[in-house]
Coordinates of all heavy atoms in Angstrom, one line a residue:
M1 N 7.0 -1.4 0.7 CA 5.7 -0.9 1.1 C 5.2 -1.7 2.3 O 5.3 -2.9 2.3 CB 4.7 -0.9 0.0 CG 5.1 0.1 -1.1 SD 3.9 0.2 -2.5 CE 2.7 -1.0 -2.3
L2 N 4.7 -1.0 3.3 CA 4.2 -1.7 4.4 C 2.7 -1.3 4.6 O 2.2 -0.2 4.3 CB 4.9 -1.2 5.7 CG 6.4 -1.3 5.8 CD1 6.9 -0.6 6.9 CD2 6.7 -2.8 5.8
D3 N 1.9 -2.3 5.2 CA 0.6 -2.0 5.5 C 0.3 -2.1 7.0 O -0.8 -2.4 7.5 CB -0.4 -2.9 4.7 CG -0.3 -4.4 5.1 OD1 0.6 -4.7 5.8 OD2 -1.2 -5.1 4.6
H4 N 1.4 -2.0 7.8 CA 1.2 -1.9 9.2 C 2.2 -0.8 9.7 O 3.0 -0.3 9.0 CB 1.6 -3.3 9.9 CG 3.0 -3.8 9.7 ND1 4.0 -3.3 10.4 CD2 3.5 -4.6 8.7 CE1 5.1 -3.9 9.9 NE2 4.8 -4.7 8.9
D5 N 2.0 -0.4 11.0 CA 2.7 0.8 11.5 C 4.0 0.4 12.3 O 4.5 1.3 13.0 CB 1.8 1.7 12.2 CG 1.1 1.0 13.4 OD1 1.4 -0.1 13.7 OD2 0.3 1.7 14.1
D6 N 4.5 -0.8 12.3 CA 5.7 -1.1 13.0 C 6.9 -0.9 12.0 O 7.4 -1.9 11.4 CB 5.7 -2.5 13.5 CG 6.9 -2.9 14.4 OD1 7.7 -2.0 14.6 OD2 7.1 -4.1 14.7
F7 N 7.4 0.3 11.9 CA 8.5 0.6 11.0 C 9.8 0.4 11.6 O 10.8 0.4 10.9 CB 8.4 2.1 10.6 CG 7.1 2.6 10.0 CD1 6.6 3.8 10.4 CD2 6.3 1.8 9.2 CE1 5.4 4.3 9.8 CE2 5.1 2.2 8.7 CZ 4.7 3.5 9.0
A8 N 9.9 0.2 12.9 CA 11.2 0.2 13.6 C 12.2 -0.8 13.0 O 13.4 -0.4 12.8 CB 10.9 -0.2 15.1
P9 N 11.9 -2.0 12.7 CA 12.9 -2.9 12.1 C 13.5 -2.4 10.8 O 14.7 -2.6 10.6 CB 12.2 -4.2 11.9 CG 11.0 -4.2 12.8 CD 10.6 -2.7 12.9
F10 N 12.7 -1.8 10.0 CA 13.1 -1.2 8.8 C 14.0 0.0 8.9 O 15.0 0.2 8.3 CB 12.0 -1.0 7.8 CG 11.2 -2.2 7.5 CD1 10.1 -2.5 8.3 CD2 11.6 -3.1 6.5 CE1 9.3 -3.7 8.0 CE2 10.9 -4.2 6.3 CZ 9.8 -4.6 7.0
L11 N 13.5 0.9 9.8 CA 14.2 2.2 10.1 C 15.5 1.9 10.7 O 16.5 2.6 10.4 CB 13.4 3.1 10.9 CG 12.1 3.6 10.3 CD1 11.3 4.4 11.4 CD2 12.4 4.4 9.1
A12 N 15.6 0.9 11.6 CA 16.9 0.6 12.2 C 18.0 0.2 11.2 O 19.2 0.3 11.5 CB 16.7 -0.5 13.3
R13 N 17.5 -0.3 10.1 CA 18.5 -0.8 9.0 C 18.6 0.2 7.9 O 19.2 -0.1 6.9 CB 18.0 -2.1 8.5 CG 18.3 -3.2 9.6 CD 17.6 -4.5 9.3 NE 17.8 -5.5 10.3 CZ 17.1 -5.6 11.4 NH1 16.2 -4.7 11.8 NH2 17.3 -6.6 12.3
G14 N 17.9 1.4 8.0 CA 18.0 2.4 7.0 C 17.4 2.0 5.7 O 17.7 2.5 4.6
V15 N 16.3 1.2 5.8 CA 15.6 0.8 4.6 C 14.6 1.9 4.2 O 13.8 2.4 5.0 CB 14.9 -0.5 4.9 CG1 14.0 -0.9 3.7 CG2 15.9 -1.6 5.2
A16 N 14.5 2.2 2.9 CA 13.5 3.1 2.4 C 12.2 2.3 2.4 O 12.1 1.1 2.0 CB 13.8 3.6 1.0
L17 N 11.1 2.9 2.8 CA 9.8 2.2 2.8 C 8.7 3.2 2.5 O 8.8 4.4 2.6 CB 9.6 1.5 4.2 CG 9.7 2.4 5.4 CD1 8.3 2.9 5.8 CD2 10.3 1.6 6.5
E18 N 7.6 2.6 2.1 CA 6.3 3.3 1.9 C 5.2 2.6 2.7 O 5.2 1.4 2.8 CB 5.9 3.3 0.5 CG 6.8 4.2 -0.4 CD 6.5 5.7 -0.2 OE1 5.4 6.1 0.2 OE2 7.4 6.5 -0.4
Y19 N 4.4 3.4 3.3 CA 3.2 2.9 4.1 C 2.0 2.9 3.3 O 1.6 3.9 2.7 CB 3.1 3.8 5.4 CG 1.9 3.4 6.2 CD1 2.0 2.3 7.1 CD2 0.8 4.2 6.2 CE1 0.9 2.0 7.9 CE2 -0.3 3.9 7.0 CZ -0.2 2.8 7.8 OH -1.3 2.5 8.7
L20 N 1.3 1.8 3.3 CA 0.0 1.7 2.7 C -1.1 1.6 3.8 O -0.9 0.8 4.7 CB -0.1 0.5 1.8 CG 0.8 0.5 0.6 CD1 0.5 -0.8 -0.2 CD2 0.5 1.7 -0.3
T21 N -2.1 2.4 3.7 CA -3.2 2.3 4.7 C -3.8 0.9 4.8 O -4.3 0.5 3.7 CB -4.2 3.4 4.4 OG1 -3.6 4.7 4.3 CG2 -5.3 3.5 5.5
P22 N -3.8 0.3 5.9 CA -4.3 -1.1 6.0 C -5.8 -1.1 5.6 O -6.5 -0.1 5.7 CB -4.2 -1.4 7.5 CG -3.1 -0.5 8.0 CD -3.2 0.7 7.2
L23 N -6.2 -2.3 5.1 CA -7.6 -2.4 4.6 C -8.6 -2.1 5.7 O -9.7 -1.5 5.4 CB -7.8 -3.9 4.1 CG -6.9 -4.3 3.0 CD1 -7.0 -5.8 2.7 CD2 -7.3 -3.6 1.7
D24 N -8.4 -2.5 6.9 CA -9.4 -2.1 8.0 C -9.5 -0.7 8.2 O -10.6 -0.1 8.4 CB -9.1 -2.9 9.3 CG -7.8 -2.5 9.9 OD1 -6.8 -2.1 9.2 OD2 -7.6 -2.7 11.1
L25 N -8.4 0.1 8.1 CA -8.5 1.5 8.2 C -9.1 2.2 7.0 O -9.8 3.2 7.1 CB -7.1 2.1 8.5 CG -6.5 1.8 9.9 CD1 -5.2 2.4 10.1 CD2 -7.5 2.3 11.0
Q26 N -8.9 1.6 5.8 CA -9.5 2.1 4.6 C -11.1 2.0 4.8 O -11.8 3.0 4.5 CB -9.1 1.3 3.4 CG -7.7 1.5 3.0 CD -7.3 0.6 1.8 OE1 -8.1 0.5 0.9 NE2 -6.2 0.1 1.8
A27 N -11.5 0.9 5.3 CA -13.0 0.7 5.5 C -13.5 1.7 6.6 O -14.6 2.3 6.4 CB -13.2 -0.8 5.9
Q28 N -12.7 1.8 7.6 CA -13.1 2.7 8.7 C -13.2 4.2 8.2 O -14.1 4.9 8.7 CB -12.1 2.6 9.9 CG -12.5 3.4 11.1 CD -11.5 3.2 12.2 OE1 -10.6 2.3 12.1 NE2 -11.6 3.9 13.2
H29 N -12.4 4.6 7.3 CA -12.3 6.0 6.9 C -12.6 6.1 5.4 O -12.1 6.9 4.7 CB -10.9 6.5 7.1 CG -10.5 6.5 8.6 ND1 -11.1 7.3 9.5 CD2 -9.6 5.7 9.2 CE1 -10.6 7.0 10.7 NE2 -9.7 6.0 10.5
A30 N -13.6 5.2 4.9 CA -13.9 5.2 3.5 C -14.4 6.5 3.0 O -14.3 6.9 1.8 CB -15.0 4.1 3.3
A31 N -15.0 7.4 3.8 CA -15.6 8.6 3.4 C -14.5 9.7 3.1 O -14.8 10.7 2.5 CB -16.6 9.2 4.4
L32 N -13.3 9.5 3.6 CA -12.3 10.5 3.4 C -11.8 10.6 1.9 O -11.4 11.6 1.5 CB -11.1 10.2 4.3 CG -11.3 10.3 5.8 CD1 -10.1 9.9 6.6 CD2 -11.7 11.7 6.1
M33 N -11.7 9.4 1.3 CA -11.2 9.4 -0.1 C -11.5 8.1 -0.8 O -11.9 7.1 -0.1 CB -9.7 9.7 -0.1 CG -8.8 8.6 0.5 SD -7.0 8.8 0.3 CE -6.7 10.4 0.9
D34 N -11.2 8.0 -2.0 CA -11.3 6.7 -2.8 C -9.9 6.1 -2.6 O -8.9 6.3 -3.3 CB -11.5 7.0 -4.2 CG -11.7 5.7 -5.0 OD1 -11.1 4.7 -4.7 OD2 -12.6 5.7 -6.0
W35 N -9.8 5.2 -1.6 CA -8.5 4.6 -1.2 C -7.9 3.8 -2.3 O -6.7 3.9 -2.6 CB -8.7 3.8 0.1 CG -8.9 4.6 1.3 CD1 -10.1 4.8 1.9 CD2 -7.9 5.3 2.0 NE1 -9.9 5.6 3.0 CE2 -8.6 5.9 3.1 CE3 -6.6 5.5 1.9 CZ2 -7.9 6.8 4.0 CZ3 -5.9 6.3 2.8 CH2 -6.6 6.9 3.8
P36 N -8.7 2.9 -3.0 CA -8.1 2.1 -4.1 C -7.4 3.0 -5.2 O -6.4 2.7 -5.6 CB -9.3 1.3 -4.6 CG -10.2 1.2 -3.5 CD -10.1 2.5 -2.8
D37 N -8.1 4.1 -5.6 CA -7.6 4.9 -6.7 C -6.3 5.6 -6.1 O -5.3 5.7 -6.9 CB -8.6 5.9 -7.1 CG -9.7 5.4 -8.0 OD1 -9.6 4.2 -8.4 OD2 -10.6 6.1 -8.3
Y38 N -6.4 6.1 -4.9 CA -5.2 6.8 -4.3 C -4.0 5.9 -4.2 O -2.9 6.2 -4.6 CB -5.6 7.4 -3.0 CG -4.4 7.8 -2.1 CD1 -3.7 9.0 -2.4 CD2 -4.0 7.0 -1.1 CE1 -2.6 9.3 -1.7 CE2 -2.8 7.3 -0.4 CZ -2.1 8.5 -0.7 OH -1.1 8.9 0.1
L39 N -4.3 4.6 -3.7 CA -3.2 3.7 -3.5 C -2.7 3.1 -4.8 O -1.4 2.9 -5.0 CB -3.6 2.6 -2.6 CG -3.9 3.0 -1.1 CD1 -4.6 1.9 -0.4 CD2 -2.6 3.5 -0.5
S40 N -3.5 3.0 -5.8 CA -3.1 2.5 -7.1 C -2.2 3.6 -7.8 O -1.1 3.2 -8.4 CB -4.3 2.3 -8.0 OG -5.0 1.2 -7.6
E41 N -2.6 4.8 -7.6 CA -1.7 5.9 -8.2 C -0.4 6.0 -7.5 O 0.7 6.1 -8.1 CB -2.4 7.2 -8.1 CG -1.7 8.3 -8.8 CD -2.4 9.6 -8.9 OE1 -3.6 9.7 -8.6 OE2 -1.7 10.6 -9.3
K42 N -0.4 5.8 -6.2 CA 0.8 5.9 -5.3 C 1.7 4.7 -5.8 O 3.0 4.9 -5.9 CB 0.4 5.7 -3.8 CG 1.6 5.8 -2.9 CD 1.1 5.8 -1.5 CE 2.3 6.0 -0.5 NZ 1.9 6.2 0.8
W43 N 1.2 3.5 -6.0 CA 2.0 2.4 -6.4 C 2.6 2.6 -7.8 O 3.8 2.3 -8.0 CB 1.1 1.1 -6.4 CG 1.8 -0.2 -6.8 CD1 1.3 -1.0 -7.8 CD2 3.0 -0.7 -6.3 NE1 2.2 -2.0 -7.9 CE2 3.2 -1.9 -7.0 CE3 3.9 -0.4 -5.4 CZ2 4.3 -2.7 -6.8 CZ3 5.0 -1.2 -5.1 CH2 5.2 -2.4 -5.9
M44 N 1.8 3.1 -8.7 CA 2.3 3.4 -10.0 C 3.5 4.4 -10.0 O 4.5 4.3 -10.6 CB 1.2 4.0 -10.9 CG 1.6 4.3 -12.3 SD 0.4 5.2 -13.3 CE 0.4 6.8 -12.3
L45 N 3.3 5.5 -9.2 CA 4.3 6.5 -9.1 C 5.6 6.0 -8.5 O 6.7 6.4 -8.9 CB 3.8 7.7 -8.3 CG 2.7 8.6 -9.0 CD1 2.1 9.6 -8.0 CD2 3.2 9.2 -10.2
L46 N 5.5 5.1 -7.5 CA 6.6 4.5 -6.9 C 7.4 3.7 -7.9 O 8.6 3.8 -7.9 CB 6.2 3.6 -5.7 CG 5.8 4.3 -4.4 CD1 5.2 3.4 -3.4 CD2 7.0 5.0 -3.8
Q47 N 6.7 2.9 -8.7 CA 7.4 2.1 -9.7 C 8.0 3.0 -10.8 O 9.2 2.7 -11.2 CB 6.4 1.2 -10.4 CG 5.9 0.1 -9.4 CD 4.9 -0.8 -10.1 OE1 5.3 -1.7 -10.8 NE2 3.6 -0.6 -9.8
L48 N 7.4 4.1 -11.2 CA 8.0 5.0 -12.1 C 9.2 5.7 -11.5 O 10.2 5.9 -12.2 CB 6.9 6.1 -12.6 CG 5.8 5.5 -13.5 CD1 4.8 6.6 -13.7 CD2 6.4 5.1 -14.8
K49 N 9.1 6.1 -10.3 CA 10.2 6.8 -9.7 C 11.4 5.9 -9.5 O 12.5 6.3 -9.9 CB 9.8 7.3 -8.3 CG 10.9 8.0 -7.6 CD 10.4 8.6 -6.2 CE 11.6 9.3 -5.5 NZ 11.1 9.8 -4.2
W50 N 11.2 4.7 -9.0 CA 12.4 3.9 -8.6 C 12.7 2.8 -9.7 O 13.8 2.3 -9.7 CB 12.1 3.1 -7.3 CG 12.0 4.1 -6.2 CD1 10.8 4.5 -5.5 CD2 13.0 4.9 -5.6 NE1 11.1 5.4 -4.5 CE2 12.4 5.7 -4.6 CE3 14.3 5.0 -5.8 CZ2 13.1 6.6 -3.8 CZ3 15.1 5.9 -5.0 CH2 14.5 6.6 -4.0
Q51 N 11.8 2.6 -10.6 CA 12.0 1.6 -11.7 C 12.7 0.3 -11.2 O 13.8 0.0 -11.6 CB 12.8 2.3 -12.8 CG 12.1 3.5 -13.4 CD 12.9 4.1 -14.5 OE1 14.0 3.8 -14.8 NE2 12.2 5.1 -15.2
P52 N 12.1 -0.4 -10.3 CA 12.7 -1.6 -9.8 C 12.9 -2.6 -10.8 O 12.0 -2.8 -11.7 CB 11.7 -2.0 -8.7 CG 10.4 -1.5 -9.1 CD 10.7 -0.2 -9.8
G53 N 14.0 -3.3 -10.7 CA 14.3 -4.5 -11.7 C 13.5 -5.7 -11.2 O 13.2 -6.5 -12.0
Q54 N 13.2 -5.8 -9.9 CA 12.5 -6.9 -9.4 C 11.8 -6.4 -8.2 O 12.2 -5.6 -7.4 CB 13.5 -8.0 -9.0 CG 12.9 -9.3 -8.5 CD 14.0 -10.3 -8.3 OE1 15.1 -10.0 -8.1 NE2 13.6 -11.6 -8.3
I55 N 10.6 -7.0 -8.0 CA 9.8 -6.7 -6.8 C 9.5 -8.0 -6.1 O 9.0 -9.0 -6.6 CB 8.4 -6.0 -7.2 CG1 8.6 -4.7 -7.9 CG2 7.6 -5.9 -5.9 CD1 7.4 -4.1 -8.5
I56 N 9.9 -8.0 -4.8 CA 9.8 -9.2 -4.0 C 8.7 -8.9 -2.9 O 8.9 -7.9 -2.1 CB 11.1 -9.7 -3.4 CG1 12.1 -9.9 -4.5 CG2 10.9 -10.8 -2.4 CD1 13.5 -10.1 -3.9
A57 N 7.7 -9.8 -2.8 CA 6.7 -9.6 -1.7 C 7.0 -10.6 -0.6 O 7.2 -11.7 -0.8 CB 5.3 -9.8 -2.3
Y58 N 7.0 -10.0 0.6 CA 7.0 -10.8 1.8 C 5.6 -10.8 2.4 O 5.3 -9.9 3.1 CB 8.1 -10.3 2.8 CG 9.5 -10.4 2.3 CD1 10.1 -9.3 1.7 CD2 10.2 -11.6 2.5 CE1 11.4 -9.4 1.2 CE2 11.5 -11.7 2.0 CZ 12.1 -10.6 1.4 OH 13.3 -10.7 0.9
G59 N 4.8 -11.7 2.0 CA 3.4 -11.7 2.3 C 2.6 -11.4 1.1 O 2.9 -11.8 0.0
M60 N 1.7 -10.4 1.3 CA 0.7 -10.1 0.2 C 1.4 -9.2 -0.8 O 2.2 -8.2 -0.5 CB -0.4 -9.3 0.8 CG -1.6 -9.1 -0.2 SD -3.0 -8.2 0.6 CE -3.3 -9.0 2.1
T61 N 1.2 -9.5 -2.1 CA 1.7 -8.6 -3.2 C 1.0 -7.3 -3.3 O -0.2 -7.2 -2.8 CB 1.7 -9.3 -4.5 OG1 0.3 -9.5 -4.9 CG2 2.4 -10.7 -4.6
A62 N 1.6 -6.3 -3.9 CA 0.9 -5.0 -4.0 C -0.4 -5.2 -4.8 O -1.4 -4.6 -4.5 CB 1.8 -4.0 -4.6
D63 N -0.3 -6.0 -5.9 CA -1.5 -6.2 -6.7 C -2.6 -6.9 -6.0 O -3.8 -6.4 -6.1 CB -1.2 -7.1 -8.0 CG -0.3 -6.4 -9.0 OD1 -0.3 -5.1 -9.0 OD2 0.4 -7.0 -9.8
R64 N -2.3 -7.8 -5.1 CA -3.4 -8.5 -4.3 C -4.0 -7.5 -3.3 O -5.2 -7.4 -3.1 CB -2.8 -9.6 -3.6 CG -3.7 -10.3 -2.6 CD -4.4 -11.5 -3.2 NE -5.1 -12.3 -2.1 CZ -6.4 -12.3 -2.0 NH1 -7.2 -11.6 -2.9 NH2 -7.0 -12.9 -1.1
F65 N -3.1 -6.7 -2.7 CA -3.5 -5.7 -1.7 C -4.5 -4.7 -2.4 O -5.5 -4.3 -1.9 CB -2.3 -5.0 -1.1 CG -2.7 -3.9 -0.1 CD1 -3.0 -4.3 1.2 CD2 -2.8 -2.6 -0.5 CE1 -3.3 -3.3 2.1 CE2 -3.1 -1.6 0.4 CZ -3.3 -2.0 1.7
L66 N -4.1 -4.2 -3.6 CA -4.9 -3.2 -4.3 C -6.2 -3.8 -4.7 O -7.3 -3.2 -4.7 CB -4.1 -2.7 -5.5 CG -2.9 -1.8 -5.1 CD1 -2.1 -1.5 -6.4 CD2 -3.4 -0.6 -4.4
N67 N -6.2 -5.1 -5.2 CA -7.5 -5.8 -5.5 C -8.4 -5.9 -4.3 O -9.6 -5.7 -4.5 CB -7.2 -7.2 -6.1 CG -6.7 -7.1 -7.6 OD1 -6.9 -6.1 -8.3 ND2 -5.9 -8.1 -8.0
L68 N -7.8 -6.3 -3.1 CA -8.7 -6.3 -1.9 C -9.2 -5.0 -1.6 O -10.3 -4.9 -1.1 CB -7.8 -7.0 -0.8 CG -7.5 -8.4 -0.9 CD1 -6.6 -8.9 0.2 CD2 -8.8 -9.3 -0.9
S69 N -8.4 -3.9 -1.8 CA -8.9 -2.6 -1.5 C -10.0 -2.2 -2.4 O -11.0 -1.7 -1.9 CB -7.7 -1.6 -1.7 OG -8.1 -0.3 -1.4
R70 N -9.9 -2.6 -3.6 CA -11.0 -2.3 -4.6 C -12.3 -3.1 -4.2 O -13.4 -2.5 -4.3 CB -10.6 -2.6 -6.0 CG -9.7 -1.6 -6.7 CD -9.3 -2.0 -8.1 NE -8.1 -1.3 -8.5 CZ -6.9 -2.0 -8.6 NH1 -6.8 -3.2 -8.3 NH2 -5.8 -1.3 -8.9
A71 N -12.1 -4.3 -3.9 CA -13.2 -5.2 -3.5 C -13.9 -4.6 -2.3 O -15.1 -4.6 -2.2 CB -12.8 -6.6 -3.3
G72 N -13.1 -4.1 -1.3 CA -13.7 -3.5 -0.1 C -14.6 -2.3 -0.5 O -15.7 -2.2 0.0
R73 N -14.0 -1.5 -1.3 CA -14.8 -0.3 -1.8 C -16.0 -0.7 -2.5 O -17.1 -0.2 -2.2 CB -13.9 0.6 -2.6 CG -14.6 1.8 -3.2 CD -13.9 2.5 -4.3 NE -13.8 1.5 -5.5 CZ -12.9 1.6 -6.4 NH1 -12.1 2.6 -6.5 NH2 -12.9 0.7 -7.4
D74 N -15.9 -1.6 -3.4 CA -17.0 -2.0 -4.3 C -18.1 -2.7 -3.5 O -19.3 -2.7 -3.9 CB -16.5 -2.8 -5.5 CG -15.6 -2.1 -6.4 OD1 -15.5 -0.8 -6.3 OD2 -14.9 -2.7 -7.2
N75 N -17.8 -3.4 -2.4 CA -18.7 -4.1 -1.6 C -19.2 -3.3 -0.4 O -19.9 -3.8 0.5 CB -18.2 -5.4 -1.2 CG -17.9 -6.4 -2.3 OD1 -18.7 -6.4 -3.2 ND2 -16.8 -7.1 -2.3
G76 N -18.7 -2.0 -0.3 CA -19.2 -1.2 0.8 C -18.6 -1.5 2.1 O -19.2 -1.2 3.1
L77 N -17.4 -2.2 2.1 CA -16.8 -2.6 3.4 C -16.0 -1.5 3.9 O -15.4 -0.7 3.3 CB -16.0 -3.9 3.1 CG -16.7 -5.1 2.6 CD1 -15.8 -6.2 2.4 CD2 -17.8 -5.5 3.5

């Protein structure tokens, strides 16, 4: 899962990926939807679909990202 829009290195290697709306864009478009709920459901469905044996984070973990998304919503950011 990515939270930026530079997919080129991953696409060049044929890697499957998912895009998560960055926190700043969630705040900018907060009126469109409940981003934390949407992204939490998306994350859950990805895990159910692929059933990964191991999840490796390069940078922020999905749980941390989702917690920051919730905090942004709850604090009106």
Side-chain angles (χ1 to χ4, degrees):
M1 294 183 348
L2 302 172
D3 66 350
H4 61 83
D5 59 3
D6 183 11
F7 307 143
F10 299 96
L11 295 175
R13 290 168 181 79
V15 174
L17 56 95
E18 287 288 334
Y19 175 76
L20 296 180
T21 306
L23 298 169
D24 61 333
L25 289 178
Q26 290 178 42
Q28 184 179 351
H29 302 288
L32 293 177
M33 67 170 54
D34 186 325
W35 290 103
D37 285 353
Y38 166 76
L39 294 169
S40 293
E41 184 173 351
K42 183 174 184 173
W43 177 234
M44 179 192 65
L45 291 172
L46 285 169
Q47 291 180 80
L48 288 171
K49 177 180 180 179
W50 297 108
Q51 299 180 353
Q54 186 175 21
I55 298 171
I56 300 170
Y58 293 95
M60 190 180 311
T61 66
D63 289 338
R64 174 98 171 107
F65 181 83
L66 293 171
N67 286 337
L68 289 171
S69 181
R70 285 184 201 99
R73 176 197 59 201
D74 296 346
N75 293 320
L77 302 177

